[in-house]
Amino acid sequence: MNVTPLIPIGIALALGATGAAAQFVKGNDAVKVLPDGSRKVEVPPAAGALLAKPCPAADAGCSGGGWKMVETPQGLMECTEIYARPTTCRTSTYGAEKRARVWVVKTGSEWKHCSYPDLGKGCVGIRSLPSPVVQ
């Protein structure tokens, strides 16, 4: 497996071409490949959402409902919320540590939680309660 360092704003970590190669979810419309080969990444919009005070990813008690795996401009991150606000995310430990996780993806214009890094397995709209799976 190739190891890619954290990359600058506007670029996302994307590996492989199968359903879930490493940490990338094939078909996640939040990740766009631009003509120059760089990647543009969207995170779920926080505008209009009723948001509580951010719960920092560094706090042990902040991932009570499982980690939200979100593609961000910095790469795939483990977040305490789907919106990936500052302090709520940390570097992914997927593949190194077993944790309860859900994958936050975009299909068309709809944001979803998926139980696995695969759009065909256990995806529901973000307004529904997710089903975290230890992986």
Side-chain angles (χ1 to χ4, degrees), residues 38-52:
S38 64
R39 299 186 191 282
K40 179 180 176 188
V41 180
E42 282 182 78
V43 294
L50 297 174
L51 300 174

Side-chain angles (χ1 to χ4, degrees), residues 13-131:
L13 175 65
L15 302 170
T18 60
Q23 303 172 348
F24 176 69
V25 179
K26 183 179 180 184
N28 183 357
D29 293 335
V31 181
K32 302 277 188 229
V33 179
L34 301 177
D36 66 0
S38 64
R39 299 186 191 282
K40 179 180 176 188
V41 180
E42 282 182 78
V43 294
L50 297 174
L51 300 174
K53 180 180 173 189
C55 194
D59 291 357
C62 283
S63 66
W67 291 95
K68 284 58 169 178
M69 304 302 292
V70 182
E71 284 282 356
T72 71
Q74 295 81 20
L76 184 75
M77 304 291 275
E78 292 176 345
C79 303
T80 59
E81 63 179 21
I82 65 170
Y83 303 106
R85 292 185 289 169
T87 75
T88 66
C89 297
R90 66 183 189 187
T91 303
S92 172
T93 62
Y94 180 70
E97 295 181 23
K98 297 245 181 221
R99 301 185 179 280
R101 295 181 164 92
V102 294
W103 301 80
V104 179
V105 298
K106 184 179 183 186
T107 58
S109 62
E110 185 179 8
W111 287 95
K112 296 182 178 184
H113 297 281
C114 297
S115 298
Y116 298 92
D118 184 332
L119 290 175
K121 293 186 178 178
C123 296
V124 297
I126 59 170
R127 297 187 193 285
S128 301
L129 292 175
S131 299

